[in-house]
Structures are given as C-alpha cells and as structure tokens.
Amino acid sequence: MSGTESVELVGDEAVSNIALAAVLAALTAAFAYVSIPVPGLPVPISFQVFGAYFAGLLLGPRWGGLALTLYLLVGVAGAPVFSGGAAGLGYLLGPTGGYLVGFLLAAVVIGAIVHRGLEPRPLTEVSLPVQAGALLAGLAVIYAVGVPWLALSTANTFTEAFIGGAVTVLPGDLIKIAATLALVKGGVLARQQATA
C-alpha cells in the first residue's frame, strides 16, 4: 500500500448518520428548555419528545437510538440538557427519569416500525398512516416506562401516576404527533433527510 492510498474505516453514510444523531441529540437538549411546569401535574410539559420522534423517523432504530443515548449520557455527565436545564444521574433516577428512558426506547420503536430494519430509508417511501402509527407506538412506550417509574419514585399510586403522567398530558402529546406529521407531510423532514 503506497502512502497516497487510504483505507475507509467508516463509510460516508455512517459518518452522516453519526453527525445527524449528534445534531438530534443537541436538538433534544434544546427542546428540553421548552418546559412548562403545571401545578398539580407530576411531570412538566416538555418538547423533548420531538427529539425522539425526529430521531426515529429520520434515522431509524440504530442511529435514532444513538441520538437519544448521546442525549442521556451528556445529561448524566452533568450537562444541563434535561427539562428546565436539569442534569445528573440523580435527575435521571428521579420521578421523570422513566420518560427520559422512554424517549430512547420510543426512538428505537419508531425507527423500527418506519424503516423496517436497522438502516434508515427515505421517508418518502413510508406512508403517513405508518408514520402516525409508529409515533403513537412510541408515545405508548414512553407512557409504559414513564408512568410506572413515576409511581415508584413518588408517593403516587399507579392510578394517580397514570392520570397525572399520561391521561392529563395525552391531548398535548397528540398535538405534538400531529405537528411532527405536518412537518413530514410538508416535506421538511424528508428534504433534510435527503440532504444529510
């Protein structure tokens, strides 16, 4: 091998996906700053879920999961990237930690449903009903992890945690899904995916 030859250890597509995963991790952190505490609710209303939705839709289960893993690791390491600028392992283990873990699992589930494999495919090849079903499945995963975690880490019963941590916030979460789908239908996410 001469000095001018190079070995490609990581393909261009993998580099692009890693870069986009890092961008989506940062975007999830930015969304965390849009957090509205509501009196009487055990969890704040937050836009972090958009990060999970976009990661799963754009990157599929492998790279979307990487994006949310990066986000969680940075927060656990002490960067103020959780809701309201919180950080640290203590916050992750607290009442809202289940929702944070749920975001990671939701990105993987959404990606698996939409892309039907580990690698992402163009969103233009995925029907809107499939995307909507994937986002609803992702939301169900978030609640499935977040609600019991909330009940176990507070004095709330499971029923109280379910009402405060799922039923009450469900209308807003459905609006977030509709907003995500509107971006996809408008081609904004598809165009960004194509240029990545």
Side-chain angles (χ1 to χ4, degrees), residues 11-129:
D12 290 342
E13 189 173 334
V15 170
S16 176
N17 287 332
I18 291 168
L20 190 51
V23 168
L24 284 170
L27 185 63
T28 305
F31 282 136
Y33 280 88
V34 184
S35 177
I36 306 162
V38 178
L41 286 185
V43 293
I45 294 174
S46 168
F47 284 13
Q48 290 160 291
V49 71
F50 281 119
Y53 292 164
F54 295 157
L57 285 172
L58 291 174
L59 293 175
R62 175 188 298 166
W63 303 108
L66 174 64
L68 272 292
T69 299
L70 289 173
Y71 166 69
L72 293 177
L73 289 175
V74 167
V76 167
V81 297
F82 296 145
S83 186
L89 182 60
Y91 187 84
L92 182 65
L93 297 176
T96 59
Y99 294 94
L100 293 170
V101 172
F103 295 156
L104 165 60
L105 298 176
V108 172
V109 167
I110 292 165
I113 293 170
V114 168
H115 299 284
R116 295 186 301 201
L118 291 178
E119 295 304 319
R121 62 185 176 135
L123 286 178
T124 53
E125 296 177 8
V126 183
S127 71
L128 202 58

Side-chain angles (χ1 to χ4, degrees), residues 71-191:
Y71 166 69
L72 293 177
L73 289 175
V74 167
V76 167
V81 297
F82 296 145
S83 186
L89 182 60
Y91 187 84
L92 182 65
L93 297 176
T96 59
Y99 294 94
L100 293 170
V101 172
F103 295 156
L104 165 60
L105 298 176
V108 172
V109 167
I110 292 165
I113 293 170
V114 168
H115 299 284
R116 295 186 301 201
L118 291 178
E119 295 304 319
R121 62 185 176 135
L123 286 178
T124 53
E125 296 177 8
V126 183
S127 71
L128 202 58
V130 169
Q131 292 176 36
L135 293 176
L136 289 169
L139 181 60
V141 167
I142 293 167
Y143 289 161
V145 179
V147 169
W149 190 307
L150 179 64
L152 289 172
S153 60
T154 63
N156 292 327
T157 65
F158 179 82
T159 301
E160 291 169 335
F162 181 71
I163 291 170
V167 174
T168 308
V169 295
L170 179 61
D173 284 338
L174 293 176
I175 290 170
K176 292 171 193 172
I177 286 176
T180 302
L181 292 172
L183 285 170
V184 172
K185 188 169 171 47
V188 174
L189 290 180
R191 281 195 299 275

